[in-house]
Amino acid sequence: MENARDLAERTPRSDRKRRDSFGMFDGYDSCSEESTSSSSSDDSEDEVVPSIPASLPIIKNNGQVYTYPDGKAGMATCEMCGMVGVRDAFYSKTKRFCSVSCSRSYSSNSKKASILARLQGKPPTKKAKVLQKQPLMAKLAAYAQYQASQQNQAKLKAVVPGESFDWGQYICSSNTVGAPVSCFKHAPMGTCWGDIEVGVRIEVPNSDTNFSTKVYWIAEIIKLAGFKALLRYEGFDSDTSKDFWCNLCIPEVHPVGWCASSGKPLVPPKSIQHKYSNWKTFLVKRLTGAKTLPPNFNDMVQENMQFPFKKLMRVEVVDKNYLSRTRVALVEQVIGGRLRLVYEESQGGADDFWCHMYSPLIHNIGWSRSIGHRFKRSDITRKLDGQVDAPPQLFQKTKEVDQSGDWFKDGMKLEAIDPLNLSAICVATVRKVLADGYLMIGIDGSEAVDGSDWFCYHGTSPSIFPVGFCEINNIELTPPRGYTKLPFKWFDYLRETGSVAAPVRLFNKEVPNHGFRLGMKLEAVDLMEPRLVCVATVTRIVHRLLRIHFDGWEDEYDQWVDCESPDLYPVGWCQLTGYQLQPPASQSNREMSQSVPKQKKKAQQYKGQKKKRKIPVGRRPFSQAGRRRSSFSGDEEQSPPPYPAQGPARPRPRTHFHLTHKSESLLRMKEETAEVDEFTFSQGTSDQESNGSGSYYIRQEP
């Protein structure tokens, strides 16, 4: 039999006629209150809820018999992680926390985090382990209580969402648009999203029914936002009362025709059950010529959710405390293509780092030696069981360049995104030229004497720019720390320092058709706390450069990223992969985070400008040069949970090279006539929403 998709592809639009031979309504023909209740045995078995015994269970251990506590007087709930356990086994006199770590973590997190943890029914994290001194009876009772609560939730059909933040309500309330999945080539389905658009029909579970078993109905996509779609059941026409948001990549979403081929019943919603006397005729009329998902859509999703990196693979990754070198790290977790890496010499897995598998920060073993990059040797002489070097073909490839002729030279000046303050594009210098097109870049006026805060960028990186890029594109350029001749002028600075600008032709000027537009919503990694993925908005587009704003936070926390950055994801990515999404910060959260006392400074170490963020921060090192550096990772003292915990953000202090007022330190440069004959400006367009082809670099005349 032909389904709707086959009909749409094989039949010219002008020749399409109504027909009832789709085969997609066979399930509806056999559906009635009697037959539906007994059909689809697989679904009915899945939804059977085990009953809870009326009497309290008995726990036996080594001949001892314990009565299960009544859930009131004998039990307690941790205010930090939400774990339920026996009150006597809890920590402190007040019995508010299940462990010492939860008690300490609570002081750095808001009450909102604990409330969300309890409401979401989250299991305890690695931090929230009950003290070992508690008796076995307490452990067993806590586990029994947890099982009972899970059974009770299932009985009441209280489904705990995968994420506490409601993207659908947020998008509708703000009348915004989510960036299309096709904008994110590195994300699942990013290269095979196809023609999924408004108007596509799909088969989804029917929630507006009295049947005890799972039944389905056809719905139309009304609005798209990343992986999520606003759906409306067929037959409601302009009635929005039953509209609902759904992630299109969940297993319960199917193309039209799936019910017929799988023997599942199609049942109209009870709200409109009597609207039409012949639903089959209605569906044939509505679906003729309509689009649906590819027949193998679910298989494509499953295939795209397979990732080549596996646990215990060894890689080289940037040293988050010494940016100019790399270290060996082991893959500890893989979530949606994001890797939790644990440095090889870390004790207990506490020294970790998060990044995407396509991040330019990770490389195969031996990469540093091959290009002449600094590398911290490990004291570990042999691999442990199960450890294997990640194959070189798993890593993102860089463009081959010819360094034999005209190429970057040591001392050349340019503009670069500060890797430790991603909201700023700064005056920078090529400090060392490595092999295979890699460069060591230093931020002028803020470098350590030993060069430990130099950062490795490839020559084709979209994060480095020619001299004058910021001025022409109306971007605030951060001058060198201590430079007093403001407003900053490149011509004066080059003359004073006796240096030359890197030739414009060496930079990456390719602008892909990325598809991003101003105001689009997405999920973005906070690269100053890279374990966190947050609700964000595109607020500026300069060719291929995007300004990402974290909703609910001030503009100073924004980040400049490339349009092809693997740290940007479509709306619904966190729900699809099981990663915890950080919702927009409320005003109360920001005020509370600002009241947290600052930790004492430590010398001789390096961190960049502290981003925001929501997890308790451990060590905060500082550079010899006086430039305050925040960690390139986040919390360094504790291993993150599989789902990064929610909580209030910690405010990001300003770096020492900023003046008190942003308007005084980051002056917007005015376009002026060239003071020397060697340079002329080419006019360009800022905030381009399409790729365009206008010049936007300084052109160096021969």
Side-chain angles (χ1 to χ4, degrees):
M1 295 183 180
E2 295 181 85
N3 57 24
R5 183 177 181 274
D6 294 334
L7 183 69
E9 293 180 351
R10 300 177 184 176
T11 307
R13 187 175 185 88
S14 59
D15 297 335
R16 290 174 190 161
K17 300 179 180 179
R18 298 183 187 176
R19 58 179 68 183
D20 56 3
S21 58
F22 290 105
M24 64 182 70
F25 314 117
D26 296 343
Y28 175 71
D29 289 339
S30 61
C31 177
S32 64
E33 294 190 8
E34 292 77 10
S35 61
T36 304
S37 61
S38 59
S39 63
S40 186
S41 58
D42 293 340
D43 290 329
S44 61
E45 290 177 1
D46 293 340
E47 295 194 358
V48 172
V49 180
S51 58
I52 301 177
S55 59
L56 295 176
I58 301 297
I59 302 174
K60 296 182 179 181
N61 180 63
N62 296 331
Q64 300 295 323
V65 179
Y66 302 99
T67 302
Y68 177 77
D70 62 2
K72 297 180 181 179
M75 306 302 292
T77 302
C78 179
E79 294 189 17
M80 180 60 204
C81 70
M83 177 177 179
V84 178
V86 176
R87 181 179 298 277
D88 292 338
F90 269 46
Y91 177 73
S92 79
K93 295 181 179 180
T94 57
K95 309 300 182 184
R96 297 171 59 197
F97 308 102
C98 67
S99 64
V100 177
S101 61
C102 275
S103 177
R104 292 176 178 173
S105 298
Y106 186 82
S107 62
S108 300
N109 289 270
S110 71
K111 294 182 179 179
K112 180 179 179 181
S114 61
I115 294 173
L116 287 175
R118 293 200 301 271
L119 291 178
Q120 295 172 10
K122 293 180 181 177
T125 66
K126 291 183 178 179
K127 300 179 185 178
K129 294 182 179 178
V130 178
L131 296 178
Q132 296 298 321
K133 67 179 182 180
Q134 64 180 342
L136 179 61
M137 184 272 288
K139 295 181 181 180
L140 295 175
Y143 180 70
Q145 171 71 6
Y146 176 74
Q147 282 188 321
S149 64
Q150 294 297 100
Q151 291 177 348
N152 189 48
Q153 288 180 359
K155 185 176 181 180
L156 298 176
K157 296 184 179 180
V159 179
V160 178
E163 56 182 9
S164 60
F165 177 69
D166 187 348
W167 259 120
Q169 181 181 0
Y170 187 67
I171 288 178
C172 289
S173 62
S174 57
N175 194 26
T176 53
V177 178
V181 174
S182 56
C183 292
F184 309 88
K185 304 302 182 184
H186 57 279
M189 303 297 293
T191 57
C192 52
W193 193 243
D195 296 328
I196 300 177
E197 58 188 9
V198 172
V200 167
R201 265 70 167 195
I202 56 179
E203 292 180 354
V204 293
N206 181 3
S207 59
D208 184 18
T209 179
N210 292 326
F211 293 106
S212 58
T213 56
K214 184 182 296 183
V215 295
Y216 294 82
W217 190 242
I218 297 172
E220 178 184 0
I221 297 178
I222 303 301
K223 186 173 184 177
L224 271 174
F227 290 117
K228 287 185 167 291
L230 180 63
L231 302 178
R232 182 176 302 165
Y233 289 122
E234 282 292 349
F236 277 89
D237 299 329
S238 60
D239 183 1
T240 63
S241 60
K242 295 295 181 179
D243 288 2
F244 61 99
W245 284 88
C246 177
N247 194 313
L248 295 180
C249 291
I250 64 175
E252 293 180 323
V253 173
H254 305 280
V256 173
W258 177 84
C259 284
S261 61
S262 304
K264 305 296 182 182
L266 277 174
V267 180
K270 65 178 182 180
S271 301
I272 57 172
Q273 186 173 359
H274 304 291
K275 187 173 181 179
Y276 297 96
S277 58
N278 191 329
W279 281 101
K280 182 175 180 179
T281 303
F282 168 79
L283 289 180
V284 170
K285 179 179 179 180
R286 293 297 295 268
L287 298 179
T288 299
K291 293 182 179 180
T292 188
L293 301 177
N296 61 337
F297 183 77
N298 295 97
D299 295 334
M300 293 167 60
V301 173
Q302 291 300 319
E303 182 180 348
N304 275 259
M305 291 296 291
Q306 304 300 316
F307 306 102
F309 281 88
K310 306 300 178 184
K311 187 175 181 179
L312 296 184
M313 280 187 172
R314 300 171 77 243
V315 301
E316 287 186 10
V317 64
V318 64
D319 187 339
K320 65 184 182 183
N321 295 322
Y322 201 102
L323 297 184
S324 63
R325 70 185 182 190
T326 57
R327 297 173 60 182
V328 173
L330 299 175
V331 176
E332 178 64 22
Q333 284 179 281
V334 183
I335 305 178
R338 301 205 75 222
L339 310 178
R340 178 182 173 239
L341 304 174
V342 176
Y343 291 112
E344 194 171 50
E345 295 179 299
S346 67
Q347 297 180 353
D351 195 9
D352 63 355
F353 183 78
W354 283 87
C355 65
H356 193 272
M357 62 182 183
Y358 294 150
S359 170
L361 302 177
I362 61 171
H363 309 275
N364 59 287
I365 298 296
W367 173 84
S368 297
R369 175 182 292 183
S370 67
I371 70 164
H373 194 282
R374 289 184 185 178
F375 178 76
K376 180 183 180 182
R377 296 186 180 277
S378 173
D379 294 334
I380 299 177
T381 57
R382 65 185 183 88
K383 301 176 186 177
L384 301 177
D385 292 341
Q387 294 183 5
V388 61
D389 294 350
Q393 61 268 22
L394 299 187
F395 298 87
Q396 190 77 343
K397 304 300 180 183
T398 56
K399 183 180 179 180
E400 294 184 2
V401 296
D402 181 12
Q403 296 184 230
S404 60
D406 188 12
W407 188 243
F408 291 94
K409 300 292 190 299
D410 292 0
M412 282 185 173
K413 298 294 183 180
L414 44 76
E415 298 175 3
I417 297 176
D418 186 346
L420 297 177
N421 179 15
L422 294 165
S423 65
I425 299 179
C426 306
V427 175
T429 304
V430 177
R431 291 304 179 187
K432 187 177 181 181
V433 178
L434 308 179
D436 294 342
Y438 286 95
L439 313 169
M440 297 304 296
I441 304 295
I443 303 300
D444 283 21
S446 305
E447 300 173 66
V449 177
D450 60 355
S452 57
D453 55 355
W454 294 351
F455 195 74
C456 186
Y457 279 123
H458 194 266
T460 60
S461 170
S463 297
I464 58 175
F465 316 96
V467 165
F469 174 83
C470 286
E471 180 176 9
I472 293 178
N473 291 284
N474 196 25
I475 300 175
E476 294 170 329
L477 177 67
T478 302
R481 178 192 175 203
Y483 190 76
T484 57
K485 296 182 63 175
L486 299 177
F488 178 83
K489 296 181 180 179
W490 263 115
F491 300 107
D492 292 343
Y493 186 70
L494 292 174
R495 185 186 300 111
E496 293 167 3
T497 57
S499 53
V500 297
V504 174
R505 58 183 173 274
L506 299 181
F507 293 86
N508 181 6
K509 294 181 285 295
E510 179 184 357
V511 182
N513 185 19
H514 49 70
F516 287 101
R517 298 292 182 267
L518 293 178
M520 281 185 171
K521 298 292 183 181
L522 68 162
E523 298 175 1
V525 175
D526 176 1
L527 294 172
M528 292 294 98
E529 295 282 3
R531 75 187 65 197
L532 303 180
V533 179
C534 313
V535 174
T537 306
V538 177
T539 56
R540 282 202 68 184
I541 303 174
V542 183
H543 305 285
R544 65 178 300 147
L545 195 61
L546 307 180
R547 179 86 171 181
I548 301 300
H549 173 76
F550 294 98
D551 290 16
W553 293 93
E554 290 79 8
D555 293 344
E556 64 179 309
Y557 301 127
D558 291 1
Q559 294 179 168
W560 287 107
V561 298
D562 183 60
C563 63
E564 295 182 342
S565 168
D567 296 305
L568 303 178
Y569 308 104
V571 168
W573 178 87
C574 282
Q575 182 188 28
L576 176 63
T577 60
Y579 209 94
Q580 181 63 55
L581 177 66
Q582 304 298 318
S586 63
Q587 181 65 30
S588 59
N589 279 349
R590 293 198 300 271
E591 292 175 353
M592 183 176 298
S593 66
Q594 293 171 2
S595 64
V596 177
K598 297 180 180 179
Q599 299 187 13
K600 295 182 179 180
K601 299 180 181 179
K602 295 182 181 181
Q604 311 298 328
Q605 299 181 27
Y606 305 89
K607 287 194 173 186
Q609 185 173 356
K610 187 60 196 167
K611 179 64 185 159
K612 332 180 189 185
R613 220 30 159 185
K614 307 177 177 65
I615 292 181
V617 177
R619 300 185 299 276
R620 288 173 177 254
F622 299 85
S623 70
Q624 295 172 340
R627 179 188 184 192
R628 184 165 187 174
R629 293 284 190 185
S630 74
S631 170
F632 209 60
S633 68
D635 187 359
E636 298 174 353
E637 294 184 347
Q638 295 180 344
S639 173
Y643 303 80
Q646 291 181 337
R650 186 181 297 276
R652 178 180 62 179
R654 293 188 180 277
T655 57
H656 292 175
F657 58 89
H658 282 287
L659 298 179
T660 304
H661 299 290
K662 191 173 183 180
S663 59
E664 297 177 358
S665 61
L666 300 177
L667 298 177
R668 185 162 296 174
M669 300 167 59
K670 296 181 179 179
E671 191 168 318
E672 298 179 358
T673 305
E675 297 185 11
V676 290
D677 296 335
E678 287 78 13
F679 295 93
T680 58
F681 283 97
S682 298
Q683 297 296 328
T685 303
S686 181
D687 288 335
Q688 294 187 358
E689 294 193 16
S690 59
N691 295 328
S693 59
S695 301
Y696 55 96
Y697 297 111
I698 291 181
R699 183 174 64 252
Q700 186 172 354
E701 302 292 351

